[in-house]
């Protein structure tokens, strides 16, 4: 299967203290890929690399089957981008902004843009610079959607928006994706928001991709196990042990990844009892993943 | 594509273009004010030439000012957005730069035309003494070249980042420093003078700004 975005052994140095290393991102075609990570983890830098705004030191980037940055000018016509900060000309009105943008995109859909303009309740004569943060967010999403892209790259598109605006923006996005089967690469730190509609998840920390898995596998795969009489040095584990803590004298809590129900058989041994398997929600899983990545407790 | 960039450019620099056009139209007329009132007290040829020459200093100043300000406004929207929006547009970067340059240059056609019209009106309505001739078209062509050279130079400089501007300023500062050190050490080395000759004398890039700008001449 072709990937909408694919990077291979991508290296980039942004400063003396920050670099992206060995990034191997794979966003399947038609997927809504949530790109999670704490502030400063490299999400925006990765997006800028993917769009050809930055040039990597090494590695390969492919977007919709084309090499980036070599083919960026042609492939960007099929990519809708919503940046973290609105970068549009502040003195153009909303209507003028739309006209400016439309001139560059051959697939621009004016009737749909008009519909979104009404749906988002935007005042078309208002200069972009005088719009509220929520209205600017709506204009950015309108521009990205009305150009009818095959891939949407969204860098924290709902950050700082109130719940009503956030709902409007996300419902327009989901409408489009369901009609067009477009791929979406969305970065956010609003974990619960991503949990609702993403089908893939990638987690970035300190310039490295810690994990990328289907959302269901991520949610179901991270568990907290309560074990009494746990072996001191676990051998040939069928799952990934992220961390272990002694709860009381005889009981330990293990944090594991890639857990499947049949793996409870691993604990069928003398003196060892698996007493409880607890689910973690996405946020807990994300936090635990980061904790173990930064300093393994196992 | 060019139309929307031109419109965008117009919104940023319309005040400059209008003021520049008014100044460009008025300058030749004002410079020949004495000659226009021929029946009252026609200026003697020498006096007229002196007046025209002294007003002529303002043409390169106007050309440089317009070129500088329009070049700055050409890049202002992109600088404000840290070039992110421009860089994700589906056009090659060289083409985007050409579009921006073309839009700025086209808007500068207004003050250039104003200078031509002003010069034609001034020379046709003035009583030019025998032996002297009006050069409205030559003056307007020279003004056009000067405006475009200024625009091109400042367009290139302002296209860069603050780092680029810093490098340019550091180079200028470096030259001045070398000159000061040479002067203090009493070394016979006129770097500034040599650079000035190189830049301002033909075929230097800024030679167009120097010399006499005469609407009326022998």
């Amino acid at each position: 299967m072709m990937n909408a975005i694919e990077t291979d052994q991508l290296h980039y140095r942004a400063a003396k203290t920050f670099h992206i290393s060995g990034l191997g991102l794979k966003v399947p075609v038609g997927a809504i890929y949530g790109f999670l990570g704490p502030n400063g983890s490299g999400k925006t830098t990765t997006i800028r690399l993917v769009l050809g705004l930055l040039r990597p030191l090494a590695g390969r980037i492919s977007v919709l089957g084309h090499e980036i940055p070599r083919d960026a000018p042609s492939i960007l016509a099929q990519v809708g981008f919503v940046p973290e900060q609105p970068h549009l000309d502040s003195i153009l009105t909303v209507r003028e902004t739309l006209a400016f943008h439309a001139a560059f995109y051959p697939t621009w859909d004016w009737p749909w843009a008009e519909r979104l303009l009404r749906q988002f309740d935007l005042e078309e004569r208002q200069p972009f610079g005088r719009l509220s943060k929520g209205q600017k967010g709506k204009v950015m999403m309108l521009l990205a959607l009305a150009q009818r892209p095959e891939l949407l790259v969204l860098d924290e598109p709902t950050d700082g928006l109130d719940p009503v605006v956030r709902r409007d923006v996300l419902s327009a996005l989901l409408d489009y994706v369901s009609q067009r089967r477009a791929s979406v690469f969305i970065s956010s730190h609003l974990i619960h928001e991503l949990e609702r509609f993403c089908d893939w998840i990638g987690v970035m920390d300190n310039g490295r991709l810690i994990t990328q898995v289907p959302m269901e596998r991520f949610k179901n795969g991270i568990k907290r196990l309560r074990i009494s009489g746990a072996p001191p040095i676990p051998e040939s584990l069928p799952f990934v042990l992220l961390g272990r803590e002694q709860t009381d004298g005889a009981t330990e809590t293990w944090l594991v990844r890639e857990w499947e129900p049949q793996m409870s058989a691993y604990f069928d041994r003398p003196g060892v009892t698996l007493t409880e398997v607890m689910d973690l929600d996405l946020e807990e899983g994300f936090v635990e993943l980061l904790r173990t990545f930064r300093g393994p407790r196992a | 594509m060019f139309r929307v960039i031109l419109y965008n450019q117009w919104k940023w620099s319309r005040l400059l273009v209008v003021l520049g056009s008014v100044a460009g139209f008025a300058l030749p007329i004002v410079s020949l004010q004495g000659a226009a009132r021929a029946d009252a007290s026609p200026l003697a040829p020498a006096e007229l030439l002196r007046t025209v020459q002294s007003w002529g200093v303002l043409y390169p100043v106007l050309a440089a000012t317009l070129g500088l300000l329009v070049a700055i406004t050409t890049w202002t929207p992109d600088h404000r957005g840290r070039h992110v929006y421009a860089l994700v547009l589906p056009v090659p970067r060289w083409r985007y730069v050409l579009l921006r340059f073309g839009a700025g240059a086209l808007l500068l056609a207004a003050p250039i035309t104003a200078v031509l019209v002003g010069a034609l009106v001034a020379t046709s309505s003035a009583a030019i003494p025998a032996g002297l001739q009006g050069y409205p078209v030559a003056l307007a062509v020279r003004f056009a070249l000067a405006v475009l050279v200024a625009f091109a130079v400042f367009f290139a400089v302002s296209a860069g980042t603050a780092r680029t501007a810093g490098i340019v300023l550091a180079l200028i500062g470096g030259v001045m420093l070398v000159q000061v050190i040479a002067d203090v050490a009493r070394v016979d080395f006129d770097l500034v003078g040599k650079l000035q000759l190189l830049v301002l004398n033909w075929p230097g890039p800024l030679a167009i700004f120097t010399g006499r700008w005469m609407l009326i001449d022998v």
Side-chain angles (χ1 to χ4, degrees), chain A residues 48 51-55 72-77 79 81 83 86-93 96-97 99-101 103-106 140 143, chain B residues 1-14 76-78 80-93 96 99-100:
Chain A
R48 290 184 173 188
L51 294 172
L53 271 70
L54 300 173
R55 286 175 189 269
S74 58
I75 206 63
L76 285 173
V79 179
F81 174 50
H87 292 299
L88 299 173
D89 193 339
S90 57
I91 67 165
L92 292 182
T93 65
E96 289 165 350
T97 301
F100 188 95
H101 198 75
F104 289 89
Y105 293 89
M140 300 303 296
L143 294 178
Chain B
M1 217 178 276
F2 181 68
R3 197 176 53 82
V4 292
I5 295 228
L6 183 63
Y7 179 73
N8 182 227
Q9 181 64 41
W10 165 248
K11 283 205 85 169
W12 276 98
S13 43
R14 57 191 165 184
T76 302
D78 289 333
R80 284 192 176 184
R82 295 183 176 184
H83 298 270
V84 170
Y85 180 70
L87 291 175
V88 294
L89 288 173
V91 284
R93 292 177 188 182
Y96 184 79
L99 287 167
R100 282 275 179 215

Coordinates of all heavy atoms in Angstrom, one line a residue, chain A residues 48 51-55 72-77 79 81 83 86-93 96-97 99-101 103-106 140 143, chain B residues 1-14 76-78 80-93 96 99-100:
Chain A
R48 N 7.2 20.8 8.7 CA 7.9 21.7 7.8 C 8.9 20.9 6.8 O 9.0 21.3 5.7 CB 8.7 22.8 8.5 CG 7.7 23.7 9.2 CD 8.4 24.9 9.9 NE 7.4 25.8 10.3 CZ 7.6 27.0 10.8 NH1 8.9 27.4 11.0 NH2 6.6 27.8 11.2
L51 N 6.6 19.2 4.2 CA 6.1 20.2 3.2 C 7.2 20.8 2.3 O 6.9 21.6 1.5 CB 5.3 21.3 3.9 CG 4.0 20.8 4.6 CD1 3.4 21.9 5.3 CD2 3.0 20.3 3.5
G52 N 8.5 20.5 2.6 CA 9.6 21.0 1.8 C 10.0 22.4 2.3 O 10.8 23.1 1.6
L53 N 9.5 22.9 3.4 CA 9.9 24.2 3.9 C 11.3 24.2 4.5 O 12.0 25.2 4.5 CB 8.9 24.7 5.0 CG 7.7 25.5 4.5 CD1 6.8 24.6 3.8 CD2 7.0 26.1 5.7
L54 N 11.7 23.0 5.0 CA 13.1 22.8 5.5 C 13.7 21.7 4.7 O 13.0 20.8 4.2 CB 13.0 22.4 7.0 CG 12.4 23.4 7.9 CD1 12.3 22.8 9.3 CD2 13.2 24.7 8.0
R55 N 15.0 21.7 4.6 CA 15.7 20.7 3.9 C 16.5 19.8 4.8 O 17.2 20.2 5.7 CB 16.8 21.3 2.9 CG 16.0 21.9 1.7 CD 16.9 22.6 0.7 NE 16.1 23.3 -0.2 CZ 15.7 22.8 -1.4 NH1 16.1 21.6 -1.8 NH2 14.9 23.5 -2.2
A72 N 8.2 19.4 -4.6 CA 7.3 20.2 -3.7 C 6.3 21.1 -4.4 O 5.1 21.1 -4.2 CB 8.1 20.9 -2.6
P73 N 6.8 21.9 -5.4 CA 5.9 22.9 -6.0 C 4.6 22.2 -6.7 O 3.5 22.7 -6.6 CB 6.7 23.6 -7.1 CG 8.1 23.5 -6.6 CD 8.2 22.1 -5.9
S74 N 4.9 21.0 -7.3 CA 3.7 20.4 -8.0 C 2.9 19.6 -7.0 O 1.6 19.7 -7.0 CB 4.2 19.4 -9.1 OG 5.1 18.5 -8.5
I75 N 3.5 19.0 -6.0 CA 2.7 18.1 -5.1 C 1.9 19.0 -4.1 O 0.9 18.6 -3.6 CB 3.6 17.1 -4.4 CG1 2.7 15.9 -4.0 CG2 4.3 17.6 -3.2 CD1 2.1 15.2 -5.1
L76 N 2.4 20.2 -3.8 CA 1.7 21.1 -2.8 C 0.3 21.5 -3.3 O -0.5 21.9 -2.5 CB 2.6 22.3 -2.5 CG 3.8 22.0 -1.5 CD1 4.7 23.2 -1.4 CD2 3.3 21.5 -0.2
A77 N 0.1 21.4 -4.6 CA -1.2 21.7 -5.1 C -2.3 20.7 -4.6 O -3.5 21.0 -4.6 CB -1.2 21.7 -6.6
V79 N -2.0 19.3 -1.5 CA -1.9 19.3 0.0 C -2.5 20.5 0.6 O -2.2 21.6 0.2 CB -0.4 19.2 0.4 CG1 -0.3 19.2 1.9 CG2 0.3 18.0 -0.2
F81 N -2.8 22.8 3.9 CA -2.0 22.9 5.1 C -2.6 24.0 6.0 O -3.0 25.1 5.6 CB -0.6 23.4 4.7 CG 0.3 23.7 5.8 CD1 0.5 22.9 6.9 CD2 1.0 24.9 5.8 CE1 1.3 23.2 8.0 CE2 1.9 25.2 6.8 CZ 2.0 24.4 7.9
P83 N -1.4 25.8 9.3 CA -0.2 26.0 10.2 C -0.6 26.3 11.6 O -1.8 26.6 11.9 CB 0.5 27.2 9.6 CG -0.5 28.0 8.9 CD -1.6 27.0 8.4
P86 N -1.6 31.4 12.2 CA -2.0 31.9 10.9 C -1.0 32.8 10.2 O -0.5 33.7 10.9 CB -3.3 32.7 11.2 CG -3.6 32.4 12.6 CD -2.3 31.9 13.3
H87 N -0.6 32.5 9.0 CA 0.4 33.3 8.3 C -0.1 34.1 7.1 O 0.6 34.4 6.2 CB 1.5 32.3 7.8 CG 2.3 31.7 8.9 ND1 3.0 32.4 9.8 CD2 2.4 30.4 9.3 CE1 3.6 31.6 10.7 NE2 3.2 30.3 10.4
L88 N -1.4 34.4 7.1 CA -2.0 35.0 6.0 C -1.8 36.6 6.1 O -1.5 37.1 7.1 CB -3.5 34.7 5.9 CG -3.8 33.2 5.7 CD1 -5.3 33.0 5.8 CD2 -3.2 32.7 4.3
D89 N -1.9 37.2 4.9 CA -1.8 38.7 4.8 C -2.8 39.4 5.6 O -4.0 39.2 5.4 CB -1.8 39.1 3.3 CG -1.4 40.5 3.1 OD1 -1.4 41.2 4.1 OD2 -1.0 40.8 2.0
S90 N -2.4 40.2 6.6 CA -3.4 40.8 7.5 C -4.3 41.8 6.9 O -5.4 42.1 7.4 CB -2.6 41.3 8.7 OG -1.7 42.3 8.3
I91 N -3.8 42.5 5.8 CA -4.7 43.6 5.3 C -5.7 43.1 4.2 O -6.6 43.9 3.9 CB -3.8 44.7 4.7 CG1 -3.0 44.3 3.5 CG2 -2.9 45.3 5.8 CD1 -2.5 45.6 2.7
L92 N -5.5 41.9 3.8 CA -6.5 41.4 2.8 C -7.8 41.0 3.6 O -7.7 40.5 4.7 CB -6.0 40.2 2.1 CG -4.9 40.4 1.1 CD1 -4.5 39.0 0.4 CD2 -5.2 41.4 0.0
T93 N -9.0 41.3 3.0 CA -10.2 40.8 3.6 C -10.4 39.3 3.4 O -9.6 38.7 2.7 CB -11.4 41.5 3.0 OG1 -11.5 41.1 1.6 CG2 -11.3 43.0 3.0
E96 N -10.9 38.6 -0.2 CA -9.7 38.7 -0.9 C -8.7 37.6 -0.7 O -8.0 37.2 -1.6 CB -9.0 40.1 -0.6 CG -9.8 41.3 -1.2 CD -9.4 42.6 -0.6 OE1 -8.7 42.6 0.4 OE2 -9.9 43.7 -1.1
T97 N -8.7 37.2 0.6 CA -7.8 36.1 1.0 C -8.2 34.8 0.2 O -7.3 34.1 -0.3 CB -7.9 35.8 2.5 OG1 -7.5 37.0 3.1 CG2 -7.0 34.7 2.9
A99 N -9.8 34.7 -2.7 CA -9.4 34.9 -4.1 C -7.9 34.7 -4.4 O -7.5 34.1 -5.4 CB -9.9 36.3 -4.5
F100 N -7.1 35.2 -3.4 CA -5.7 35.1 -3.5 C -5.3 33.6 -3.6 O -4.6 33.1 -4.4 CB -5.0 35.8 -2.4 CG -3.5 35.9 -2.5 CD1 -2.9 37.0 -3.1 CD2 -2.7 34.8 -2.1 CE1 -1.5 37.0 -3.2 CE2 -1.3 34.9 -2.2 CZ -0.7 36.0 -2.7
H101 N -5.8 32.9 -2.6 CA -5.5 31.4 -2.4 C -6.0 30.6 -3.6 O -5.3 29.8 -4.2 CB -6.2 30.9 -1.1 CG -5.6 29.7 -0.6 ND1 -4.4 29.6 0.0 CD2 -6.1 28.4 -0.7 CE1 -4.2 28.3 0.4 NE2 -5.2 27.6 0.0
A103 N -6.4 31.4 -6.6 CA -5.6 31.6 -7.9 C -4.5 30.6 -8.0 O -4.0 30.4 -9.1 CB -5.1 33.1 -7.9
F104 N -4.0 30.0 -6.9 CA -2.9 29.1 -6.9 C -3.3 27.7 -7.0 O -2.4 26.8 -7.2 CB -2.0 29.4 -5.7 CG -1.2 30.7 -5.7 CD1 -1.8 31.8 -5.2 CD2 0.0 30.7 -6.3 CE1 -1.1 33.0 -5.2 CE2 0.7 31.9 -6.4 CZ 0.1 33.1 -5.8
Y105 N -4.6 27.4 -6.8 CA -5.0 26.0 -6.7 C -6.0 25.7 -7.8 O -7.1 26.1 -7.8 CB -5.6 25.7 -5.3 CG -4.5 25.8 -4.3 CD1 -4.3 27.0 -3.6 CD2 -3.7 24.7 -3.9 CE1 -3.3 27.1 -2.7 CE2 -2.7 24.8 -3.0 CZ -2.5 26.0 -2.4 OH -1.5 26.1 -1.4
P106 N -5.6 24.8 -8.8 CA -6.5 24.5 -9.9 C -7.7 23.8 -9.5 O -8.8 23.8 -10.2 CB -5.6 23.7 -10.8 CG -4.4 23.3 -10.1 CD -4.3 24.2 -8.9
M140 N -8.5 29.5 8.0 CA -7.4 28.6 7.6 C -7.9 27.2 7.2 O -7.5 26.7 6.2 CB -6.4 28.4 8.8 CG -5.7 29.7 9.3 SD -4.8 30.5 8.0 CE -3.5 29.4 7.6
L143 N -9.7 27.5 3.7 CA -8.7 27.5 2.6 C -8.2 26.1 2.3 O -8.1 25.7 1.2 CB -7.5 28.4 2.9 CG -7.8 29.9 3.1 CD1 -6.5 30.7 3.4 CD2 -8.4 30.5 1.8
Chain B
M1 N -2.9 34.4 -11.5 CA -2.0 34.3 -10.4 C -1.3 35.7 -10.2 O -1.2 36.2 -9.1 CB -0.9 33.3 -10.7 CG -0.4 32.5 -9.5 SD 0.8 31.3 -10.0 CE -0.3 29.9 -10.5
F2 N -0.9 36.3 -11.4 CA -0.2 37.6 -11.3 C -1.2 38.6 -10.9 O -0.8 39.6 -10.1 CB 0.4 37.9 -12.7 CG 1.1 39.2 -12.7 CD1 2.3 39.4 -12.0 CD2 0.6 40.3 -13.3 CE1 3.0 40.6 -11.9 CE2 1.3 41.5 -13.3 CZ 2.5 41.7 -12.6
R3 N -2.4 38.5 -11.3 CA -3.5 39.5 -11.0 C -3.6 39.6 -9.5 O -3.7 40.7 -8.9 CB -4.8 39.1 -11.7 CG -5.8 40.2 -11.8 CD -7.0 39.7 -12.5 NE -7.6 38.4 -12.0 CZ -8.4 38.4 -10.9 NH1 -8.8 39.5 -10.3 NH2 -8.8 37.2 -10.5
V4 N -3.7 38.5 -8.8 CA -3.9 38.5 -7.3 C -2.7 39.1 -6.6 O -2.8 39.8 -5.6 CB -4.4 37.2 -6.7 CG1 -5.8 36.8 -7.2 CG2 -3.4 36.1 -7.0
I5 N -1.5 38.7 -7.1 CA -0.3 39.3 -6.5 C -0.2 40.8 -6.7 O 0.2 41.5 -5.8 CB 0.9 38.6 -7.1 CG1 0.9 37.1 -6.6 CG2 2.2 39.2 -6.6 CD1 2.1 36.5 -6.1
L6 N -0.6 41.2 -7.9 CA -0.6 42.6 -8.2 C -1.6 43.4 -7.3 O -1.3 44.4 -6.8 CB -1.0 42.8 -9.7 CG -1.0 44.3 -10.2 CD1 0.5 44.8 -10.2 CD2 -1.5 44.3 -11.7
Y7 N -2.8 42.8 -7.1 CA -3.8 43.4 -6.3 C -3.3 43.5 -4.8 O -3.4 44.5 -4.2 CB -5.1 42.6 -6.3 CG -6.1 43.2 -5.4 CD1 -6.8 44.4 -5.8 CD2 -6.5 42.6 -4.2 CE1 -7.7 45.0 -5.0 CE2 -7.4 43.2 -3.4 CZ -8.1 44.4 -3.8 OH -9.0 44.9 -2.9
N8 N -2.6 42.4 -4.4 CA -2.0 42.4 -3.0 C -1.0 43.5 -2.9 O -0.9 44.2 -1.9 CB -1.4 41.0 -2.8 CG -0.8 40.8 -1.5 OD1 0.3 40.3 -1.3 ND2 -1.5 41.2 -0.4
Q9 N -0.1 43.6 -3.9 CA 0.9 44.6 -3.9 C 0.3 46.0 -3.9 O 0.8 46.9 -3.2 CB 1.8 44.4 -5.1 CG 3.0 45.4 -5.2 CD 3.9 45.2 -4.1 OE1 4.2 44.1 -3.7 NE2 4.4 46.3 -3.5
W10 N -0.8 46.2 -4.7 CA -1.4 47.5 -4.7 C -2.0 47.9 -3.3 O -1.8 49.0 -2.9 CB -2.6 47.4 -5.8 CG -3.6 48.5 -5.7 CD1 -4.9 48.5 -5.3 CD2 -3.3 49.9 -6.0 NE1 -5.4 49.7 -5.3 CE2 -4.5 50.6 -5.7 CE3 -2.2 50.6 -6.4 CZ2 -4.6 52.0 -5.9 CZ3 -2.3 52.0 -6.6 CH2 -3.5 52.7 -6.3
K11 N -2.5 46.9 -2.6 CA -3.1 47.2 -1.3 C -2.0 47.7 -0.3 O -2.2 48.5 0.5 CB -3.8 46.0 -0.7 CG -5.2 45.8 -1.3 CD -6.1 45.1 -0.4 CE -6.8 46.0 0.6 NZ -7.9 45.3 1.3
W12 N -0.8 47.1 -0.5 CA 0.3 47.5 0.4 C 1.0 48.8 0.0 O 1.4 49.5 0.8 CB 1.4 46.4 0.4 CG 1.0 45.3 1.4 CD1 0.4 44.1 1.1 CD2 1.2 45.3 2.8 NE1 0.2 43.4 2.2 CE2 0.7 44.1 3.3 CE3 1.7 46.2 3.7 CZ2 0.7 43.8 4.7 CZ3 1.8 45.9 5.1 CH2 1.2 44.7 5.5
S13 N 1.0 49.1 -1.3 CA 1.9 50.2 -1.7 C 1.1 51.3 -2.4 O 1.6 52.2 -3.1 CB 3.0 49.8 -2.6 OG 2.7 48.8 -3.5
R14 N -0.3 51.3 -2.3 CA -1.1 52.3 -3.1 C -0.8 53.7 -2.7 O -0.7 54.6 -3.5 CB -2.5 52.0 -3.0 CG -3.1 51.9 -1.6 CD -4.5 51.3 -1.6 NE -4.9 50.9 -0.3 CZ -6.0 50.3 0.0 NH1 -6.9 50.0 -1.0 NH2 -6.3 50.0 1.2
T76 N 6.7 42.8 2.6 CA 6.2 42.9 3.9 C 5.2 41.8 4.3 O 5.3 41.2 5.4 CB 5.5 44.3 4.1 OG1 6.5 45.3 3.8 CG2 5.0 44.5 5.5
P77 N 4.2 41.5 3.4 CA 3.3 40.4 3.9 C 4.0 39.1 4.1 O 3.6 38.3 5.0 CB 2.3 40.3 2.7 CG 2.8 41.1 1.6 CD 3.8 42.1 2.1
D78 N 5.0 38.8 3.3 CA 5.7 37.5 3.4 C 6.5 37.5 4.7 O 6.6 36.5 5.4 CB 6.5 37.2 2.2 CG 5.6 36.8 1.0 OD1 4.5 36.3 1.3 OD2 6.0 37.0 -0.1
R80 N 6.0 39.2 7.4 CA 5.2 39.1 8.6 C 4.7 37.7 8.8 O 4.6 37.3 10.0 CB 3.9 40.0 8.3 CG 4.2 41.5 8.5 CD 2.9 42.2 8.6 NE 3.2 43.6 8.9 CZ 2.2 44.5 9.1 NH1 1.0 44.2 9.0 NH2 2.5 45.8 9.3
G81 N 4.5 36.9 7.8 CA 4.1 35.5 7.9 C 5.3 34.6 7.9 O 5.1 33.4 7.8
R82 N 6.5 35.1 8.1 CA 7.7 34.3 8.1 C 7.8 33.4 6.9 O 8.4 32.3 6.9 CB 7.8 33.5 9.4 CG 7.9 34.3 10.6 CD 8.0 33.5 11.8 NE 8.2 34.3 13.0 CZ 8.5 33.9 14.2 NH1 8.6 32.6 14.4 NH2 8.6 34.7 15.2
H83 N 7.2 33.9 5.8 CA 7.3 33.2 4.5 C 6.7 31.8 4.5 O 6.8 31.1 3.4 CB 8.8 33.1 4.0 CG 9.4 34.4 3.8 ND1 9.4 35.1 2.6 CD2 10.1 35.2 4.7 CE1 10.0 36.3 2.8 NE2 10.5 36.4 4.0
V84 N 6.0 31.4 5.5 CA 5.5 30.1 5.6 C 4.4 29.9 4.5 O 4.4 29.0 3.7 CB 4.9 29.7 7.0 CG1 4.1 28.4 6.9 CG2 6.0 29.6 8.0
Y85 N 3.5 30.9 4.4 CA 2.4 30.8 3.5 C 2.9 30.8 2.0 O 2.5 29.9 1.2 CB 1.4 32.0 3.7 CG 0.2 31.9 2.7 CD1 -0.8 30.9 2.8 CD2 0.1 32.8 1.6 CE1 -1.8 30.9 1.9 CE2 -0.9 32.7 0.7 CZ -1.9 31.8 0.9 OH -2.9 31.7 0.0
A86 N 3.8 31.7 1.8 CA 4.4 31.7 0.4 C 5.1 30.4 0.0 O 5.0 30.0 -1.1 CB 5.4 32.9 0.3
L87 N 5.8 29.8 1.0 CA 6.6 28.6 0.7 C 5.7 27.4 0.5 O 6.2 26.4 -0.1 CB 7.6 28.4 1.8 CG 8.7 29.4 1.8 CD1 9.7 29.2 3.0 CD2 9.5 29.4 0.5
V88 N 4.5 27.4 1.0 CA 3.7 26.2 0.8 C 2.7 26.4 -0.4 O 1.9 25.5 -0.7 CB 2.8 25.8 2.0 CG1 3.8 25.3 3.1 CG2 2.0 26.9 2.5
L89 N 2.8 27.5 -1.1 CA 2.0 27.7 -2.3 C 2.6 26.8 -3.4 O 3.8 26.6 -3.5 CB 2.1 29.2 -2.8 CG 1.2 30.1 -2.0 CD1 1.5 31.6 -2.4 CD2 -0.2 29.8 -2.0
P90 N 1.8 26.2 -4.3 CA 2.3 25.3 -5.2 C 2.9 25.9 -6.5 O 2.5 25.7 -7.6 CB 1.0 24.5 -5.6 CG -0.1 25.4 -5.4 CD 0.3 26.3 -4.3
V91 N 3.9 26.8 -6.3 CA 4.6 27.4 -7.4 C 6.1 27.3 -7.0 O 6.4 27.4 -5.8 CB 4.2 28.9 -7.6 CG1 2.9 29.0 -8.3 CG2 4.3 29.7 -6.3
P92 N 6.9 27.1 -8.0 CA 8.4 27.2 -7.7 C 8.8 28.5 -7.2 O 8.2 29.5 -7.5 CB 9.0 27.0 -9.1 CG 8.0 26.4 -10.0 CD 6.7 26.9 -9.5
R93 N 9.8 28.5 -6.3 CA 10.1 29.7 -5.6 C 10.6 30.8 -6.5 O 10.3 32.0 -6.3 CB 11.2 29.4 -4.5 CG 10.7 28.5 -3.4 CD 11.7 28.1 -2.4 NE 11.1 27.1 -1.5 CZ 11.7 26.6 -0.5 NH1 12.9 26.9 -0.2 NH2 11.1 25.7 0.3
Y96 N 7.6 32.5 -7.9 CA 6.9 33.4 -6.9 C 7.7 34.7 -6.8 O 7.1 35.8 -6.8 CB 6.8 32.7 -5.6 CG 6.1 33.5 -4.6 CD1 4.7 33.5 -4.6 CD2 6.8 34.2 -3.6 CE1 4.0 34.2 -3.6 CE2 6.1 34.9 -2.6 CZ 4.7 34.9 -2.7 OH 4.0 35.7 -1.7
L99 N 7.0 36.8 -9.8 CA 5.6 37.4 -9.7 C 5.6 38.6 -8.8 O 5.1 39.7 -9.1 CB 4.6 36.4 -9.2 CG 4.2 35.2 -10.1 CD1 3.5 34.1 -9.4 CD2 3.4 35.8 -11.3
R100 N 6.3 38.5 -7.6 CA 6.4 39.6 -6.7 C 7.1 40.8 -7.3 O 6.7 41.9 -7.2 CB 7.1 39.2 -5.4 CG 6.2 38.4 -4.5 CD 5.4 39.3 -3.6 NE 4.6 38.6 -2.6 CZ 3.4 39.1 -2.3 NH1 2.9 40.2 -2.7 NH2 2.6 38.4 -1.4

